[in-house]
């Protein structure tokens, strides 16, 4: 098993021309701004893309990125467990943009989707409010919804994982179109 490494944004920028960059965010997040030349393979599609990523890694270094670094760390661990050397970008595209580096935003992007963190905050907030309102209006037991979300948020922070994000990623607006993913995998094979 190989150990995933992390690149600082400045090092990533200077090496960008020699890296195969894989963005593991949802297609909507990717369309909202990504590293120049990055290929979009959502985290839940990494297993399917493994042979193509392995092929790219045999020809050069692979950099895995996401919004803040958590999803890319998960992808990096999975790749390392499968014998693929890949680095992650410290702080993700958020740190990249904060350091003043260019994000590519395709003009032809057909879908605009909120970032996953924003989607999670919305859904968690709605469920908490719903639990409190139903607890006041219908039965106090509905407040357990709010308590469940609070517990999930604490668990998410402690483990640096997010079950709600994993569920939201499966919604149709967060899924890559089949032909888009097939085209991305073909581009990865041809690198």
């Amino acid at each position: 098993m190989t150990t995933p490494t992390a690149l600082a944004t400045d090092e990533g920028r200077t090496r960008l021309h020699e890296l195969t960059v894989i963005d593991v965010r949802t297609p909507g997040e990717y369309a909202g701004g990504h590293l120049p030349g990055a290929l979009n393979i959502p985290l839940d599609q990494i297993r399917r893309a493994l042979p193509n990523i392995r092929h790219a890694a045999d020809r050069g270094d692979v950099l895995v990125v996401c919004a803040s670094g958590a999803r890319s760390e998960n992808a990096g661990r999975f790749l390392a467990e499968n014998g693929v050397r890949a680095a992650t970008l410290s702080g993700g595209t958020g740190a990249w943009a904060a350091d003043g580096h260019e994000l590519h935003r395709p003009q032809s992007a057909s879908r605009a989707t909120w970032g996953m963190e924003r989607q999670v905050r919305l859904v968690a907030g709605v469920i908490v409010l719903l639990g409190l309102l139903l607890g006041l209006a219908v039965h106090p037991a509905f407040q357990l919804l709010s308590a469940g979300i609070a517990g999930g948020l604490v668990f998410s922070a402690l483990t640096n994982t997010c079950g709600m994000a994993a569920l939201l990623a499966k919604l149709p607006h967060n899924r890559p179109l089949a032909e888009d993913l097939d085209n991305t995998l073909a581009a990865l094979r041809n690198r």
Side-chain angles (χ1 to χ4, degrees):
M1 180 172 100
T2 62
T3 303
T5 59
L7 296 181
T9 58
D10 287 335
E11 184 180 2
R13 184 183 52 76
T14 59
R15 295 189 55 209
L16 195 58
H17 66 282
E18 67 187 52
L19 297 169
T20 297
V21 182
I22 298 172
D23 191 319
V24 296
R25 297 176 299 158
T26 65
E29 291 176 294
Y30 173 83
H34 57 272
L35 274 66
L39 299 171
N40 184 221
I41 303 174
L43 180 59
D44 64 348
Q45 298 295 315
I46 289 292
R47 182 175 303 279
R48 175 180 171 196
L50 182 60
N52 302 94
I53 297 170
R54 183 175 284 123
H55 182 68
D58 288 343
R59 294 187 318 268
D61 292 337
V62 172
L63 178 66
V64 183
V65 300
C66 67
S68 64
R71 285 178 277 180
S72 60
E73 286 178 15
N74 290 338
R77 260 193 308 279
F78 172 78
L79 293 172
E81 290 167 0
N82 286 280
V84 177
R85 274 191 40 225
T88 60
L89 183 66
S90 296
T93 55
W96 180 271
D99 287 346
H101 305 311
E102 172 191 10
L103 286 177
H104 180 73
R105 290 180 177 87
Q107 294 178 359
S108 63
S110 60
R111 303 194 283 181
T113 302
W114 285 359
M116 188 56 65
E117 183 179 331
R118 187 174 181 191
Q119 291 180 54
V120 167
R121 289 191 316 252
L122 174 69
V123 171
V126 166
I127 294 172
V128 167
L129 285 175
L130 184 64
L132 291 174
L133 291 174
L134 289 173
L136 291 171
V138 179
H139 191 277
F142 279 107
Q143 293 176 357
L144 291 175
L145 283 172
S146 301
I149 293 298
L153 291 171
V154 169
F155 179 79
S156 176
L158 293 174
T159 62
N160 200 25
T161 62
C162 186
M164 188 180 294
L167 289 174
L168 290 172
K170 296 186 183 309
L171 293 175
H173 69 274
N174 284 325
R175 306 290 309 144
L177 300 174
E179 61 270 13
D180 289 346
L181 186 58
D182 290 341
N183 290 338
T184 299
L185 295 177
L188 188 58
R189 279 191 299 274
N190 295 325
R191 283 201 169 200

